[in-house]
Amino acid sequence: MPESNGNNYQKQQTPCLVVIKCVKFIPVLFILSIFLWSYYAYVFQLCILYVQTVYGKIFMLIFYHILFVMFLWAYWQTVFTPIRTVPSKFHIPPSEMDRLTRADSQETQKQILETFAKDLPISNRTITGSVRFCFKCMLIKPDRAHHCSVCGTCVLKMDHHCPWVNSCVNFSNYKFFILFLGYALIYCLYISLTSLKYFILFWEGKLDGGMGRFHILFLFFVSVMFAVSLVSLFGYHLYLVALNRTTLEAFRAPIFRVGGPDKNGYHLGHYNNFQEVFGDNWKIWFLPIFSSIGDGINYPILHAEEDTELLLGDNAMDYENESCSILIETS
């Protein structure tokens, strides 16, 4: 079976594409440069030069380095975790693609796609009720998957494409993205609160130390500015996790074969929704280690029983055992 167009896009490394890839990393380098500067300003300019007591230095530096490491770890995982590709069984073979392109009507195309997808574990449909299909990647879209024009491929459980991580926020890295936002927020709040005393001294003209004191001034302002922007973004994604929605689903409700459009179609109860992203092992909930439940293809839904029977027929029991590993508690 031929590779999808999305995969071809990723493999054809022309000089122009290499330049574009480098340009896309500029926001990532900007974020890293800000945090590396904050390390210098906080550790060397604030803690070492201005904090007077030894115990004060040790206390501030220990907690700072814990937050700094957790932030960098989560950010690294968010940026460099590969996008999980759509399995080959969803790809349309050349013979079917030829029939699809030669079809004389949309109804004929719909019938071809329905026939090919009858054994696939999908419940999402288009607004016209047909199977969701990507002509660029030549595949049936799994539930909650969407094509990203920036990445050039279909992305499993796509939330959005984020230029600040140079990747799609998706099934593979969504937990890491949430932790990245959370640790970045705590990091900024910690810096702003512990540097507030020295910012006030600077404001009152009581902080000596030449040009080094301006690092503390900018450190306080930058940390507060980032904290304000992160509060709303982090809070919004916690809200989405609680309801088991992606950003795309929040703007446009997924359409189910049974039940039609329903923003709450994947809502399993707040705790189960949380577990779907963070896993069922509480010991690694807040570590940037992949622990999300599922495979990015199958998702338990509110009307699982009737939809599973309708879509999979004889394979309904297998799908139900696989996709409903989380106890469904509708709230």
Side-chain angles (χ1 to χ4, degrees), residues 160-192:
H160 69 287
H161 185 91
C162 180
W164 298 108
V165 301
N166 189 33
S167 180
C168 274
V169 177
N170 64 95
F171 172 79
S172 300
N173 66 358
Y174 191 50
K175 175 190 174 182
F176 305 143
F177 180 73
I178 298 293
L179 292 179
F180 152 61
L181 294 179
Y183 284 123
L185 175 59
I186 297 172
Y187 178 86
C188 291
L189 289 175
Y190 180 79
I191 288 179
S192 59

PDB file of all heavy atoms in Angstrom, residues 160-192:
ATOM      1  N   HIS A 160      -4.999  21.210  18.638  1.00  0.00           N
ATOM      2  CA  HIS A 160      -4.697  22.382  17.818  1.00  0.00           C
ATOM      3  C   HIS A 160      -3.221  22.318  17.441  1.00  0.00           C
ATOM      4  O   HIS A 160      -2.458  21.548  18.029  1.00  0.00           O
ATOM      5  CB  HIS A 160      -5.002  23.685  18.570  1.00  0.00           C
ATOM      6  CG  HIS A 160      -4.086  23.960  19.726  1.00  0.00           C
ATOM      7  ND1 HIS A 160      -4.161  23.252  20.922  1.00  0.00           N
ATOM      8  CD2 HIS A 160      -3.046  24.838  19.874  1.00  0.00           C
ATOM      9  CE1 HIS A 160      -3.235  23.703  21.755  1.00  0.00           C
ATOM     10  NE2 HIS A 160      -2.540  24.643  21.149  1.00  0.00           N
ATOM     11  N   HIS A 161      -2.826  23.129  16.479  1.00  0.00           N
ATOM     12  CA  HIS A 161      -1.405  23.238  16.157  1.00  0.00           C
ATOM     13  C   HIS A 161      -0.850  24.434  16.903  1.00  0.00           C
ATOM     14  O   HIS A 161      -1.347  25.551  16.786  1.00  0.00           O
ATOM     15  CB  HIS A 161      -1.175  23.408  14.654  1.00  0.00           C
ATOM     16  CG  HIS A 161       0.282  23.409  14.295  1.00  0.00           C
ATOM     17  ND1 HIS A 161       0.973  22.262  13.966  1.00  0.00           N
ATOM     18  CD2 HIS A 161       1.194  24.424  14.242  1.00  0.00           C
ATOM     19  CE1 HIS A 161       2.232  22.548  13.712  1.00  0.00           C
ATOM     20  NE2 HIS A 161       2.400  23.854  13.886  1.00  0.00           N
ATOM     21  N   CYS A 162       0.195  24.196  17.686  1.00  0.00           N
ATOM     22  CA  CYS A 162       0.767  25.252  18.530  1.00  0.00           C
ATOM     23  C   CYS A 162       2.146  25.652  18.019  1.00  0.00           C
ATOM     24  O   CYS A 162       3.082  24.843  18.058  1.00  0.00           O
ATOM     25  CB  CYS A 162       0.858  24.768  19.979  1.00  0.00           C
ATOM     26  SG  CYS A 162       1.557  26.001  21.108  1.00  0.00           S
ATOM     27  N   PRO A 163       2.318  26.884  17.542  1.00  0.00           N
ATOM     28  CA  PRO A 163       3.637  27.308  17.052  1.00  0.00           C
ATOM     29  C   PRO A 163       4.680  27.382  18.167  1.00  0.00           C
ATOM     30  O   PRO A 163       5.878  27.266  17.899  1.00  0.00           O
ATOM     31  CB  PRO A 163       3.363  28.695  16.458  1.00  0.00           C
ATOM     32  CG  PRO A 163       2.119  29.174  17.134  1.00  0.00           C
ATOM     33  CD  PRO A 163       1.297  27.950  17.391  1.00  0.00           C
ATOM     34  N   TRP A 164       4.236  27.537  19.424  1.00  0.00           N
ATOM     35  CA  TRP A 164       5.185  27.659  20.535  1.00  0.00           C
ATOM     36  C   TRP A 164       5.843  26.333  20.882  1.00  0.00           C
ATOM     37  O   TRP A 164       6.843  26.309  21.605  1.00  0.00           O
ATOM     38  CB  TRP A 164       4.490  28.251  21.756  1.00  0.00           C
ATOM     39  CG  TRP A 164       3.962  29.619  21.506  1.00  0.00           C
ATOM     40  CD1 TRP A 164       2.662  29.985  21.372  1.00  0.00           C
ATOM     41  CD2 TRP A 164       4.725  30.819  21.330  1.00  0.00           C
ATOM     42  NE1 TRP A 164       2.551  31.332  21.121  1.00  0.00           N
ATOM     43  CE2 TRP A 164       3.804  31.866  21.083  1.00  0.00           C
ATOM     44  CE3 TRP A 164       6.092  31.110  21.345  1.00  0.00           C
ATOM     45  CZ2 TRP A 164       4.226  33.174  20.872  1.00  0.00           C
ATOM     46  CZ3 TRP A 164       6.499  32.424  21.123  1.00  0.00           C
ATOM     47  CH2 TRP A 164       5.579  33.437  20.895  1.00  0.00           C
ATOM     48  N   VAL A 165       5.284  25.232  20.401  1.00  0.00           N
ATOM     49  CA  VAL A 165       5.932  23.926  20.573  1.00  0.00           C
ATOM     50  C   VAL A 165       6.282  23.311  19.218  1.00  0.00           C
ATOM     51  O   VAL A 165       6.793  22.198  19.155  1.00  0.00           O
ATOM     52  CB  VAL A 165       5.041  22.955  21.383  1.00  0.00           C
ATOM     53  CG1 VAL A 165       4.731  23.524  22.752  1.00  0.00           C
ATOM     54  CG2 VAL A 165       3.749  22.621  20.643  1.00  0.00           C
ATOM     55  N   ASN A 166       5.991  24.044  18.144  1.00  0.00           N
ATOM     56  CA  ASN A 166       6.294  23.611  16.776  1.00  0.00           C
ATOM     57  C   ASN A 166       5.741  22.222  16.487  1.00  0.00           C
ATOM     58  O   ASN A 166       6.401  21.385  15.871  1.00  0.00           O
ATOM     59  CB  ASN A 166       7.804  23.631  16.527  1.00  0.00           C
ATOM     60  CG  ASN A 166       8.150  23.413  15.066  1.00  0.00           C
ATOM     61  OD1 ASN A 166       7.411  23.818  14.173  1.00  0.00           O
ATOM     62  ND2 ASN A 166       9.262  22.732  14.807  1.00  0.00           N
ATOM     63  N   SER A 167       4.524  21.977  16.931  1.00  0.00           N
ATOM     64  CA  SER A 167       3.911  20.668  16.713  1.00  0.00           C
ATOM     65  C   SER A 167       2.421  20.765  16.985  1.00  0.00           C
ATOM     66  O   SER A 167       1.942  21.759  17.532  1.00  0.00           O
ATOM     67  CB  SER A 167       4.541  19.620  17.633  1.00  0.00           C
ATOM     68  OG  SER A 167       3.960  18.344  17.427  1.00  0.00           O
ATOM     69  N   CYS A 168       1.727  19.723  16.603  1.00  0.00           N
ATOM     70  CA  CYS A 168       0.315  19.628  16.961  1.00  0.00           C
ATOM     71  C   CYS A 168       0.191  19.118  18.395  1.00  0.00           C
ATOM     72  O   CYS A 168       0.905  18.196  18.799  1.00  0.00           O
ATOM     73  CB  CYS A 168      -0.415  18.658  16.018  1.00  0.00           C
ATOM     74  SG  CYS A 168      -0.993  19.439  14.506  1.00  0.00           S
ATOM     75  N   VAL A 169      -0.701  19.720  19.148  1.00  0.00           N
ATOM     76  CA  VAL A 169      -1.076  19.171  20.446  1.00  0.00           C
ATOM     77  C   VAL A 169      -2.113  18.099  20.151  1.00  0.00           C
ATOM     78  O   VAL A 169      -3.171  18.376  19.589  1.00  0.00           O
ATOM     79  CB  VAL A 169      -1.645  20.265  21.357  1.00  0.00           C
ATOM     80  CG1 VAL A 169      -2.096  19.678  22.685  1.00  0.00           C
ATOM     81  CG2 VAL A 169      -0.606  21.360  21.578  1.00  0.00           C
ATOM     82  N   ASN A 170      -1.789  16.851  20.518  1.00  0.00           N
ATOM     83  CA  ASN A 170      -2.594  15.724  20.063  1.00  0.00           C
ATOM     84  C   ASN A 170      -2.558  14.597  21.092  1.00  0.00           C
ATOM     85  O   ASN A 170      -2.054  14.785  22.216  1.00  0.00           O
ATOM     86  CB  ASN A 170      -2.074  15.234  18.707  1.00  0.00           C
ATOM     87  CG  ASN A 170      -0.662  14.701  18.792  1.00  0.00           C
ATOM     88  OD1 ASN A 170      -0.438  13.505  18.933  1.00  0.00           O
ATOM     89  ND2 ASN A 170       0.344  15.587  18.735  1.00  0.00           N
ATOM     90  N   PHE A 171      -3.076  13.438  20.708  1.00  0.00           N
ATOM     91  CA  PHE A 171      -3.130  12.301  21.624  1.00  0.00           C
ATOM     92  C   PHE A 171      -1.763  11.973  22.216  1.00  0.00           C
ATOM     93  O   PHE A 171      -1.651  11.648  23.402  1.00  0.00           O
ATOM     94  CB  PHE A 171      -3.679  11.077  20.881  1.00  0.00           C
ATOM     95  CG  PHE A 171      -3.604   9.804  21.680  1.00  0.00           C
ATOM     96  CD1 PHE A 171      -4.531   9.536  22.668  1.00  0.00           C
ATOM     97  CD2 PHE A 171      -2.607   8.876  21.428  1.00  0.00           C
ATOM     98  CE1 PHE A 171      -4.447   8.370  23.418  1.00  0.00           C
ATOM     99  CE2 PHE A 171      -2.522   7.702  22.161  1.00  0.00           C
ATOM    100  CZ  PHE A 171      -3.447   7.453  23.161  1.00  0.00           C
ATOM    101  N   SER A 172      -0.712  12.064  21.425  1.00  0.00           N
ATOM    102  CA  SER A 172       0.620  11.645  21.867  1.00  0.00           C
ATOM    103  C   SER A 172       1.226  12.558  22.927  1.00  0.00           C
ATOM    104  O   SER A 172       1.966  12.102  23.795  1.00  0.00           O
ATOM    105  CB  SER A 172       1.575  11.570  20.672  1.00  0.00           C
ATOM    106  OG  SER A 172       1.113  10.650  19.715  1.00  0.00           O
ATOM    107  N   ASN A 173       0.937  13.857  22.855  1.00  0.00           N
ATOM    108  CA  ASN A 173       1.629  14.795  23.755  1.00  0.00           C
ATOM    109  C   ASN A 173       0.690  15.691  24.555  1.00  0.00           C
ATOM    110  O   ASN A 173       1.138  16.685  25.149  1.00  0.00           O
ATOM    111  CB  ASN A 173       2.611  15.660  22.953  1.00  0.00           C
ATOM    112  CG  ASN A 173       1.914  16.598  21.977  1.00  0.00           C
ATOM    113  OD1 ASN A 173       0.690  16.593  21.847  1.00  0.00           O
ATOM    114  ND2 ASN A 173       2.684  17.416  21.283  1.00  0.00           N
ATOM    115  N   TYR A 174      -0.606  15.361  24.578  1.00  0.00           N
ATOM    116  CA  TYR A 174      -1.545  16.260  25.270  1.00  0.00           C
ATOM    117  C   TYR A 174      -1.251  16.334  26.766  1.00  0.00           C
ATOM    118  O   TYR A 174      -1.292  17.410  27.367  1.00  0.00           O
ATOM    119  CB  TYR A 174      -2.991  15.812  25.032  1.00  0.00           C
ATOM    120  CG  TYR A 174      -4.006  16.835  25.488  1.00  0.00           C
ATOM    121  CD1 TYR A 174      -3.899  18.169  25.095  1.00  0.00           C
ATOM    122  CD2 TYR A 174      -5.075  16.490  26.308  1.00  0.00           C
ATOM    123  CE1 TYR A 174      -4.823  19.113  25.497  1.00  0.00           C
ATOM    124  CE2 TYR A 174      -5.996  17.435  26.718  1.00  0.00           C
ATOM    125  CZ  TYR A 174      -5.874  18.748  26.307  1.00  0.00           C
ATOM    126  OH  TYR A 174      -6.774  19.690  26.728  1.00  0.00           O
ATOM    127  N   LYS A 175      -0.949  15.200  27.391  1.00  0.00           N
ATOM    128  CA  LYS A 175      -0.591  15.223  28.808  1.00  0.00           C
ATOM    129  C   LYS A 175       0.639  16.097  29.034  1.00  0.00           C
ATOM    130  O   LYS A 175       0.679  16.909  29.971  1.00  0.00           O
ATOM    131  CB  LYS A 175      -0.322  13.800  29.317  1.00  0.00           C
ATOM    132  CG  LYS A 175       0.171  13.760  30.755  1.00  0.00           C
ATOM    133  CD  LYS A 175       0.656  12.391  31.191  1.00  0.00           C
ATOM    134  CE  LYS A 175       1.270  12.450  32.581  1.00  0.00           C
ATOM    135  NZ  LYS A 175       1.800  11.147  33.040  1.00  0.00           N
ATOM    136  N   PHE A 176       1.638  15.968  28.169  1.00  0.00           N
ATOM    137  CA  PHE A 176       2.860  16.759  28.305  1.00  0.00           C
ATOM    138  C   PHE A 176       2.554  18.251  28.147  1.00  0.00           C
ATOM    139  O   PHE A 176       3.145  19.092  28.845  1.00  0.00           O
ATOM    140  CB  PHE A 176       3.897  16.335  27.268  1.00  0.00           C
ATOM    141  CG  PHE A 176       4.207  14.866  27.293  1.00  0.00           C
ATOM    142  CD1 PHE A 176       4.461  14.171  26.109  1.00  0.00           C
ATOM    143  CD2 PHE A 176       4.249  14.157  28.484  1.00  0.00           C
ATOM    144  CE1 PHE A 176       4.760  12.829  26.129  1.00  0.00           C
ATOM    145  CE2 PHE A 176       4.547  12.803  28.516  1.00  0.00           C
ATOM    146  CZ  PHE A 176       4.794  12.131  27.336  1.00  0.00           C
ATOM    147  N   PHE A 177       1.645  18.579  27.222  1.00  0.00           N
ATOM    148  CA  PHE A 177       1.290  19.977  26.999  1.00  0.00           C
ATOM    149  C   PHE A 177       0.622  20.572  28.235  1.00  0.00           C
ATOM    150  O   PHE A 177       0.933  21.706  28.633  1.00  0.00           O
ATOM    151  CB  PHE A 177       0.351  20.075  25.788  1.00  0.00           C
ATOM    152  CG  PHE A 177      -0.092  21.470  25.466  1.00  0.00           C
ATOM    153  CD1 PHE A 177       0.788  22.374  24.893  1.00  0.00           C
ATOM    154  CD2 PHE A 177      -1.395  21.887  25.730  1.00  0.00           C
ATOM    155  CE1 PHE A 177       0.386  23.669  24.587  1.00  0.00           C
ATOM    156  CE2 PHE A 177      -1.807  23.167  25.430  1.00  0.00           C
ATOM    157  CZ  PHE A 177      -0.919  24.066  24.860  1.00  0.00           C
ATOM    158  N   ILE A 178      -0.288  19.817  28.861  1.00  0.00           N
ATOM    159  CA  ILE A 178      -0.948  20.298  30.076  1.00  0.00           C
ATOM    160  C   ILE A 178       0.084  20.506  31.184  1.00  0.00           C
ATOM    161  O   ILE A 178       0.066  21.529  31.896  1.00  0.00           O
ATOM    162  CB  ILE A 178      -2.020  19.292  30.549  1.00  0.00           C
ATOM    163  CG1 ILE A 178      -3.121  19.138  29.500  1.00  0.00           C
ATOM    164  CG2 ILE A 178      -2.626  19.741  31.879  1.00  0.00           C
ATOM    165  CD1 ILE A 178      -3.962  20.364  29.299  1.00  0.00           C
ATOM    166  N   LEU A 179       1.002  19.550  31.351  1.00  0.00           N
ATOM    167  CA  LEU A 179       2.035  19.678  32.383  1.00  0.00           C
ATOM    168  C   LEU A 179       2.972  20.843  32.073  1.00  0.00           C
ATOM    169  O   LEU A 179       3.404  21.558  32.984  1.00  0.00           O
ATOM    170  CB  LEU A 179       2.825  18.376  32.493  1.00  0.00           C
ATOM    171  CG  LEU A 179       2.065  17.176  33.054  1.00  0.00           C
ATOM    172  CD1 LEU A 179       2.965  15.942  33.076  1.00  0.00           C
ATOM    173  CD2 LEU A 179       1.521  17.463  34.445  1.00  0.00           C
ATOM    174  N   PHE A 180       3.286  21.032  30.810  1.00  0.00           N
ATOM    175  CA  PHE A 180       4.125  22.171  30.414  1.00  0.00           C
ATOM    176  C   PHE A 180       3.470  23.491  30.823  1.00  0.00           C
ATOM    177  O   PHE A 180       4.120  24.374  31.416  1.00  0.00           O
ATOM    178  CB  PHE A 180       4.368  22.120  28.903  1.00  0.00           C
ATOM    179  CG  PHE A 180       4.605  23.443  28.251  1.00  0.00           C
ATOM    180  CD1 PHE A 180       5.678  24.241  28.611  1.00  0.00           C
ATOM    181  CD2 PHE A 180       3.755  23.903  27.250  1.00  0.00           C
ATOM    182  CE1 PHE A 180       5.898  25.473  28.001  1.00  0.00           C
ATOM    183  CE2 PHE A 180       3.961  25.123  26.637  1.00  0.00           C
ATOM    184  CZ  PHE A 180       5.032  25.910  27.016  1.00  0.00           C
ATOM    185  N   LEU A 181       2.180  23.642  30.553  1.00  0.00           N
ATOM    186  CA  LEU A 181       1.473  24.864  30.946  1.00  0.00           C
ATOM    187  C   LEU A 181       1.435  25.006  32.465  1.00  0.00           C
ATOM    188  O   LEU A 181       1.646  26.100  33.007  1.00  0.00           O
ATOM    189  CB  LEU A 181       0.042  24.850  30.396  1.00  0.00           C
ATOM    190  CG  LEU A 181      -0.138  24.904  28.881  1.00  0.00           C
ATOM    191  CD1 LEU A 181      -1.617  24.867  28.525  1.00  0.00           C
ATOM    192  CD2 LEU A 181       0.516  26.155  28.297  1.00  0.00           C
ATOM    193  N   GLY A 182       1.149  23.896  33.155  1.00  0.00           N
ATOM    194  CA  GLY A 182       1.046  23.941  34.609  1.00  0.00           C
ATOM    195  C   GLY A 182       2.371  24.289  35.279  1.00  0.00           C
ATOM    196  O   GLY A 182       2.429  25.169  36.154  1.00  0.00           O
ATOM    197  N   TYR A 183       3.449  23.627  34.868  1.00  0.00           N
ATOM    198  CA  TYR A 183       4.747  23.901  35.480  1.00  0.00           C
ATOM    199  C   TYR A 183       5.271  25.281  35.086  1.00  0.00           C
ATOM    200  O   TYR A 183       5.943  25.940  35.889  1.00  0.00           O
ATOM    201  CB  TYR A 183       5.752  22.818  35.093  1.00  0.00           C
ATOM    202  CG  TYR A 183       5.544  21.530  35.849  1.00  0.00           C
ATOM    203  CD1 TYR A 183       5.325  20.323  35.181  1.00  0.00           C
ATOM    204  CD2 TYR A 183       5.539  21.511  37.246  1.00  0.00           C
ATOM    205  CE1 TYR A 183       5.118  19.143  35.872  1.00  0.00           C
ATOM    206  CE2 TYR A 183       5.330  20.335  37.940  1.00  0.00           C
ATOM    207  CZ  TYR A 183       5.116  19.151  37.256  1.00  0.00           C
ATOM    208  OH  TYR A 183       4.896  17.999  37.950  1.00  0.00           O
ATOM    209  N   ALA A 184       4.966  25.731  33.879  1.00  0.00           N
ATOM    210  CA  ALA A 184       5.366  27.083  33.477  1.00  0.00           C
ATOM    211  C   ALA A 184       4.653  28.127  34.333  1.00  0.00           C
ATOM    212  O   ALA A 184       5.255  29.127  34.747  1.00  0.00           O
ATOM    213  CB  ALA A 184       5.051  27.303  31.997  1.00  0.00           C
ATOM    214  N   LEU A 185       3.369  27.885  34.622  1.00  0.00           N
ATOM    215  CA  LEU A 185       2.605  28.821  35.458  1.00  0.00           C
ATOM    216  C   LEU A 185       3.160  28.847  36.883  1.00  0.00           C
ATOM    217  O   LEU A 185       3.381  29.925  37.453  1.00  0.00           O
ATOM    218  CB  LEU A 185       1.128  28.417  35.470  1.00  0.00           C
ATOM    219  CG  LEU A 185       0.215  29.220  36.392  1.00  0.00           C
ATOM    220  CD1 LEU A 185       0.237  30.702  36.034  1.00  0.00           C
ATOM    221  CD2 LEU A 185      -1.211  28.679  36.354  1.00  0.00           C
ATOM    222  N   ILE A 186       3.383  27.673  37.467  1.00  0.00           N
ATOM    223  CA  ILE A 186       3.922  27.611  38.831  1.00  0.00           C
ATOM    224  C   ILE A 186       5.313  28.237  38.878  1.00  0.00           C
ATOM    225  O   ILE A 186       5.664  28.959  39.828  1.00  0.00           O
ATOM    226  CB  ILE A 186       3.976  26.151  39.318  1.00  0.00           C
ATOM    227  CG1 ILE A 186       2.564  25.561  39.386  1.00  0.00           C
ATOM    228  CG2 ILE A 186       4.630  26.064  40.697  1.00  0.00           C
ATOM    229  CD1 ILE A 186       2.531  24.070  39.678  1.00  0.00           C
ATOM    230  N   TYR A 187       6.108  27.982  37.846  1.00  0.00           N
ATOM    231  CA  TYR A 187       7.460  28.554  37.743  1.00  0.00           C
ATOM    232  C   TYR A 187       7.407  30.082  37.765  1.00  0.00           C
ATOM    233  O   TYR A 187       8.146  30.738  38.520  1.00  0.00           O
ATOM    234  CB  TYR A 187       8.099  28.040  36.460  1.00  0.00           C
ATOM    235  CG  TYR A 187       9.481  28.565  36.147  1.00  0.00           C
ATOM    236  CD1 TYR A 187      10.606  27.952  36.683  1.00  0.00           C
ATOM    237  CD2 TYR A 187       9.656  29.646  35.292  1.00  0.00           C
ATOM    238  CE1 TYR A 187      11.880  28.419  36.382  1.00  0.00           C
ATOM    239  CE2 TYR A 187      10.918  30.121  34.997  1.00  0.00           C
ATOM    240  CZ  TYR A 187      12.024  29.514  35.537  1.00  0.00           C
ATOM    241  OH  TYR A 187      13.282  29.976  35.239  1.00  0.00           O
ATOM    242  N   CYS A 188       6.520  30.649  36.961  1.00  0.00           N
ATOM    243  CA  CYS A 188       6.405  32.113  36.888  1.00  0.00           C
ATOM    244  C   CYS A 188       5.865  32.699  38.194  1.00  0.00           C
ATOM    245  O   CYS A 188       6.332  33.755  38.649  1.00  0.00           O
ATOM    246  CB  CYS A 188       5.501  32.508  35.720  1.00  0.00           C
ATOM    247  SG  CYS A 188       6.207  32.170  34.095  1.00  0.00           S
ATOM    248  N   LEU A 189       4.878  32.025  38.788  1.00  0.00           N
ATOM    249  CA  LEU A 189       4.336  32.508  40.062  1.00  0.00           C
ATOM    250  C   LEU A 189       5.396  32.450  41.164  1.00  0.00           C
ATOM    251  O   LEU A 189       5.494  33.375  41.991  1.00  0.00           O
ATOM    252  CB  LEU A 189       3.116  31.668  40.455  1.00  0.00           C
ATOM    253  CG  LEU A 189       1.854  31.868  39.618  1.00  0.00           C
ATOM    254  CD1 LEU A 189       0.766  30.891  40.048  1.00  0.00           C
ATOM    255  CD2 LEU A 189       1.341  33.306  39.730  1.00  0.00           C
ATOM    256  N   TYR A 190       6.175  31.388  41.182  1.00  0.00           N
ATOM    257  CA  TYR A 190       7.220  31.239  42.199  1.00  0.00           C
ATOM    258  C   TYR A 190       8.257  32.356  42.065  1.00  0.00           C
ATOM    259  O   TYR A 190       8.662  32.964  43.070  1.00  0.00           O
ATOM    260  CB  TYR A 190       7.886  29.870  42.060  1.00  0.00           C
ATOM    261  CG  TYR A 190       8.990  29.627  43.064  1.00  0.00           C
ATOM    262  CD1 TYR A 190       8.688  29.263  44.368  1.00  0.00           C
ATOM    263  CD2 TYR A 190      10.326  29.755  42.687  1.00  0.00           C
ATOM    264  CE1 TYR A 190       9.696  29.032  45.296  1.00  0.00           C
ATOM    265  CE2 TYR A 190      11.343  29.528  43.605  1.00  0.00           C
ATOM    266  CZ  TYR A 190      11.020  29.174  44.907  1.00  0.00           C
ATOM    267  OH  TYR A 190      12.021  28.953  45.821  1.00  0.00           O
ATOM    268  N   ILE A 191       8.670  32.631  40.836  1.00  0.00           N
ATOM    269  CA  ILE A 191       9.660  33.683  40.617  1.00  0.00           C
ATOM    270  C   ILE A 191       9.098  35.049  41.013  1.00  0.00           C
ATOM    271  O   ILE A 191       9.757  35.842  41.697  1.00  0.00           O
ATOM    272  CB  ILE A 191      10.119  33.701  39.151  1.00  0.00           C
ATOM    273  CG1 ILE A 191      11.013  32.495  38.863  1.00  0.00           C
ATOM    274  CG2 ILE A 191      10.859  34.994  38.822  1.00  0.00           C
ATOM    275  CD1 ILE A 191      11.495  32.425  37.431  1.00  0.00           C
ATOM    276  N   SER A 192       7.869  35.326  40.586  1.00  0.00           N
ATOM    277  CA  SER A 192       7.284  36.638  40.884  1.00  0.00           C
ATOM    278  C   SER A 192       7.094  36.852  42.383  1.00  0.00           C
ATOM    279  O   SER A 192       7.344  37.948  42.898  1.00  0.00           O
ATOM    280  CB  SER A 192       5.957  36.804  40.146  1.00  0.00           C
ATOM    281  OG  SER A 192       5.041  35.796  40.525  1.00  0.00           O
TER     282      SER A 192
END
